[in-house]
Amino acid sequence: MSTHTPVTGRPVRVALVGAGNRGLTYAEWIKAHPERAELVAVADPRPAARAASGAAVEHEDWRDLVAGERTADAVIVATQDRDHLEPVRALAEAGYAILAEKPLAPTEEATRALVRAVEEAGVLFAVCHVMRYTPYTDLVKRVVDSGVLGQLVSVDHLEPVGWWHFAHSYVRGPWRSERDSSPMLLAKSCHDLDWIAYVMGVRIEEVSSFGGLAHFRPENAPEGSADRCLDCAVERECPYSALKLYLPTLREQGAVWPVTHVTEATDEAGLLTALREGPYGRCAYRSDNDVVDHQVLAMRLAGGVTATFQMVAFTEQTHRQTRIFGSHGWLRGDGERVTVQDFRTGEETVHDLGASGSNAADGHGGGDTALVEAFVRAVAEGDPGAVRSGTAASLGSHLAAFAAERARHTGTVQPVPVS
């Protein structure tokens, strides 16, 4: 059970470890609410990333936070997947409240070790399962918990990653390789497994899975294509052209995500140099990627509820799509509105939240800001109950992902351990 002394009479002091896209997103909320929180330090090996955070004190290495004088109440750990365990363990032992990016770690052993370290230290801890914190999720859960659907029977959930988003992050980007990052299901979709269990109110007990890398392979490269988009004779006909993805974004919106992942430069010359020399200019069919581009899961949840989940690259980039089936009604949700039909009356009710961003670039539909607000409030009030994504819940979704990967590789149905 985590404990934390409330912070009184001043803003919560926060340090940031890892000033990438996710870390800087959380830092923006802190800087926008100086009455509630203060970004006192940042640790990142890249000078430009440290400067972008706007933190008062800069460190090249997170170890300096542990070794030096304590200046923060809490730390956000937003490093790459394989670089979570060591800083989280050290910071927990030093007594910091911690907000950690997901996935916690790329292996079951490392995930258990991280959770064990946090629980033994007894610090306030939260995981960035941002989907738990969105207004849309609140709406879906209110409907489910209201009983209007009757006995919950089944749920069907789709994550439409988006054809260009997949090419950017999972073919050319940091999450393209299981060796360097983690399995696709864990990196992208532990959010979704966590969300299914959270909304339905029961844990995932068994899982089977199928999927693989169907398209982004050398044998599927178009005839006449080259190793890099800048040299490619058929680039204009290719939907995964790096020039098509990044140049229009820079010209129309400036240096924003995903361009900021490609280069620190803000002009076309700098972008073209990055595409000439770096990973984001490589042919999508000739990269060193190995993560799956499609995967399906069939699951049994506690109480006999069944669930299906599909992650697929070949879609528009949009919200998750969900259908929940009950004995007395059913729900259809698209991230912006929820439609409910009551079988008893035949009445159909539409709850419309309006447009909201579906991905990391536009705040995960309000989940990013709500997550940081909840974490800061938990630290300020000394109340772990203010966060929805502690160790037990997050461990459950990770264990379900690891079980699904075992099922996919072995063609079996796998149990999901309780802990």
Side-chain angles (χ1 to χ4, degrees):
M1 180 69 177
S2 61
T3 59
H4 184 79
T5 303
V7 175
T8 57
R10 59 171 175 79
V12 172
R13 298 175 300 196
V14 182
L16 174 63
V17 173
N21 182 64
R22 304 305 302 138
L24 293 179
T25 295
Y26 304 137
E28 285 303 311
W29 185 93
I30 294 170
K31 290 186 288 185
H33 297 82
E35 75 286 355
R36 301 189 57 186
E38 177 186 5
L39 190 65
V40 297
V42 63
D44 194 292
R46 302 163 299 167
R50 296 196 300 270
S53 74
V57 176
E58 298 181 11
H59 302 290
E60 291 186 14
D61 194 300
W62 61 265
R63 294 170 183 82
D64 296 335
L65 288 173
V66 179
E69 179 182 357
R70 180 165 176 157
T71 59
D73 307 299
V75 181
I76 298 173
V77 177
T79 53
Q80 284 294 307
D81 303 349
R82 291 188 175 273
D83 299 323
H84 289 170
L85 175 58
E86 190 178 0
V88 167
R89 182 157 49 194
L91 291 163
E93 291 173 355
Y96 288 98
I98 299 169
L99 175 63
E101 253 303 337
K102 64 83 198 167
L104 291 175
T107 68
E108 189 166 345
E109 179 183 7
T111 300
R112 290 182 185 278
L114 187 151
V115 168
R116 186 165 56 249
V118 168
E119 291 181 342
E120 289 176 354
V123 296
L124 191 152
F125 182 77
V127 181
C128 297
H129 283 303
V130 294
M131 286 175 60
R132 282 189 178 230
Y133 296 84
T134 67
Y136 171 76
T137 297
D138 290 342
L139 172 58
V140 173
K141 188 153 180 61
R142 280 198 304 272
V143 171
V144 170
D145 291 347
S146 73
V148 68
L149 303 181
Q151 177 188 353
L152 299 178
V153 176
S154 191
V155 56
D156 174 44
H157 185 69
L158 165 70
E159 179 175 10
V161 179
W163 53 272
W164 65 263
H165 185 196
F166 190 90
H168 167 72
S169 294
Y170 304 99
V171 176
R172 297 174 172 123
W175 299 277
R176 64 186 181 267
S177 165
E178 290 192 17
R179 180 187 64 254
D180 297 331
S181 177
S182 60
M184 178 69 182
L185 183 68
L186 189 69
K188 188 74 173 75
S189 302
C190 68
H191 270 325
D192 299 274
L193 301 184
D194 175 79
W195 189 87
I196 290 170
Y198 175 66
V199 166
M200 301 300 284
V202 287
R203 65 177 294 269
I204 301 168
E205 293 186 335
E206 284 188 311
V207 59
S208 61
S209 181
F210 302 91
L213 179 58
H215 186 66
F216 297 100
R217 309 167 68 95
E219 59 266 31
N220 292 327
E223 185 176 351
S225 59
D227 289 343
R228 287 192 172 270
C229 295
L230 286 172
D231 304 321
C232 186
V234 296
E235 172 269 326
R236 291 189 178 185
E237 289 75 50
C238 180
Y240 306 106
S241 160
L243 294 173
K244 286 181 179 178
L245 174 54
Y246 303 116
L247 273 177
T249 300
L250 181 64
R251 288 168 178 168
E252 297 167 14
Q253 302 178 49
V256 298
W257 184 89
V259 174
T260 49
H261 267 194
V262 178
T263 179
E264 295 177 357
T266 59
D267 60 351
E268 284 193 24
L271 174 59
L272 291 174
T273 297
L275 296 182
R276 169 68 64 192
E277 300 174 355
Y280 291 97
R282 291 188 294 187
C283 174
Y285 299 95
R286 294 184 173 89
S287 184
D288 56 350
N289 58 301
D290 61 14
V291 298
V292 302
D293 54 21
H294 69 294
Q295 188 166 357
V296 296
L297 278 66
M299 296 168 278
R300 181 177 62 79
L301 281 58
V305 175
T306 58
T308 57
F309 169 68
Q310 180 170 198
M311 180 286 301
V312 62
F314 310 105
T315 67
E316 62 178 325
Q317 210 288 311
T318 188
H319 295 285
R320 275 88 165 173
Q321 315 288 313
T322 305
R323 295 179 295 176
I324 300 176
F325 307 94
S327 62
H328 286 61
W330 80 297
L331 175 155
R332 180 175 65 252
D334 65 2
E336 296 181 1
R337 64 191 60 80
V338 171
T339 302
V340 180
Q341 185 174 38
D342 188 331
F343 300 160
R344 287 158 288 207
T345 64
E347 182 180 359
E348 190 173 276
T349 305
V350 179
H351 307 271
D352 197 333
L353 290 171
S356 60
S358 63
N359 61 34
D362 42 31
H364 285 116
D368 290 350
T369 56
L371 165 71
V372 182
E373 191 279 333
F375 177 67
V376 168
R377 175 158 47 90
V379 177
E381 298 174 1
D383 178 19
V387 298
R388 303 176 180 179
S389 49
T391 53
S394 295
L395 180 60
S397 64
H398 284 63
L399 294 180
F402 292 126
E405 281 298 277
R406 286 195 295 273
R408 182 174 71 87
H409 286 294
T410 61
T412 59
V413 177
Q414 289 285 321
V416 178
V418 174
S419 61

